[in-house]
Amino acid sequence: KYITGETKEQKAEIVTGINCSEDPESAYIDADVRIGMDTVIYPDVYMSGRTVIGEGCRIYNGCRFDNTVVGDNCDMQAVVAIDAVVDDGARVGPYVRLRPNTHIGKNCKIGNFVEIKNSTIGEKTSVAHLTYVGDSDVGSHVNMGCGTVFVNYDGFEKHRCKVGDNVFLGCQTALVAPVTVGDDVYTAAG
């Protein structure tokens, strides 16, 4: 199921033969990284630590993964992920930063210029663009408008936010932690 190799040279040879696109020598893949079958790795990708990439993924230019798990059938574009988990079917990027203890649920859309830290994002949630989610638990089927910010630091301590299922957060919503947004809630812009 996974492509593996003991040395960088063996890894490059295996990846080159099966699923690297355009310039296989420009992908830097540590020996401990595992890559699923039918995954395409594009140039200028870095994978290190105990990273696992599932089957049928597309890992586009500019990605860097360290100790990150990516499920099956994911598209990742210009994503920097450290100690993160991305479940099956997610579309992430471009220009996304997934910081430690981030878990992206199945079939999520994480758009451009998004940063997520120490948070769980429920399945089929859309974090489309220009958003910061920190120290939060977000339900499934949530839509975050452009510029949504989870304000998790009060100058002294970090606090968590909780957002329920089927929530619509309007553009430029600022959730000042600690706060809980229930299920089926709609917030206006600003």
Side-chain angles (χ1 to χ4, degrees), residues 103-104 108-112 114-116 119-122 124-134 136-150 161-164 166-175 181 185-189:
H103 187 157
I104 306 299
C108 283
K109 177 186 175 188
I110 310 298
N112 38 332
V114 171
E115 181 175 355
I116 303 174
S119 296
T120 300
I121 308 295
K124 294 186 178 178
T125 286
S126 176
V127 185
H129 46 275
L130 300 168
T131 296
Y132 172 71
V133 180
S136 298
D137 301 300
V138 177
S140 61
H141 302 275
V142 173
N143 185 75
M144 292 185 202
C146 176
T148 299
V149 176
F150 287 67
C161 285
K162 182 173 181 179
V163 175
N166 305 306
V167 171
F168 181 91
L169 299 174
C171 291
Q172 296 184 339
T173 295
L175 299 174
V181 177
V185 170
Y186 180 97
T187 67

Side-chain angles (χ1 to χ4, degrees), residues 3-12 14-15 27-35 41 45-53 64-68:
I3 300 165
T4 60
E6 294 300 316
T7 67
K8 185 175 180 180
E9 291 77 22
Q10 288 172 324
K11 179 78 73 176
I14 292 167
V15 172
Y28 300 92
I29 302 169
D30 280 356
D32 291 335
V33 172
R34 295 187 304 162
I35 301 169
I41 308 294
V45 169
Y46 298 80
M47 296 185 205
S48 60
R50 294 164 61 173
T51 293
V52 177
I53 307 296
R64 177 183 165 226
F65 303 128
D66 185 34
N67 297 319
T68 293

Side-chain angles (χ1 to χ4, degrees), residues 62-96:
C63 287
R64 177 183 165 226
F65 303 128
D66 185 34
N67 297 319
T68 293
V69 176
V70 176
D72 295 337
N73 301 307
C74 293
D75 284 351
M76 309 291 281
Q77 299 181 40
V79 177
V80 174
I82 299 171
D83 298 318
V85 175
V86 177
D87 288 342
D88 297 348
R91 305 289 177 257
V92 183
Y95 312 115
V96 170

